Amino acid sequence: MSEPGRRLVAARDIDSDRRRGGEIRVLLGPRTVGSISGFMGVANLAPGERIAEHYHPYSEEFLYVARGAIVVDLDDEPVPVGTGEALYVAVNVRHRLRNVADEPAEVVFQLGPLAPRPELGHVDTESAAEPSAVGVPAGLPEAGP
């Protein structure tokens, strides 16, 4: 779709970002469609994979599990989320997504509003490789969950 005000984006056409764990694809955002109020995408987690803990100083995050099941650690409290369930993550709440099941999980995420500057949109509290790293700002407005 190329009509003004409309833009169709397919997950298969977006490169995955694996820096924080899993496969994250921002489908609709400032870089892909020029959105100004937020962004949405999809995260795929294989069994045993996780998306490293982080928080968003300006944005609320909405998660919907389209396939599989995950555990979301909200300020260190584990919350199981299964297929067809959604979870709200408030501003400044630390969260980590983990697939502890035996099957892949697909999670749709949406964040808004956008941070005033890209480097303020996402703050990592651990790295994808090592859960103990703290306070590393990520400078990406479209970092996803």
Side-chain angles (χ1 to χ4, degrees), residues 17 19-20 26 29-31 35-36 38-39 54-59 111 113-124 136-144:
D17 180 349
R19 290 174 293 176
R20 291 185 175 90
V26 174
R31 292 181 189 161
S35 64
I36 59 172
F39 61 92
H54 61 281
Y55 67 93
H56 308 284
Y58 291 91
S59 305
L111 285 91
L114 292 175
R117 294 193 326 264
E119 68 274 11
L120 299 176
H122 183 107
V123 178
D124 289 316
V136 183
L140 297 175
E142 298 182 31

Side-chain angles (χ1 to χ4, degrees), residues 53 124-136:
E53 185 186 80
D124 289 316
T125 53
E126 67 184 17
S127 73
E130 184 178 351
S132 60
V134 182
V136 183

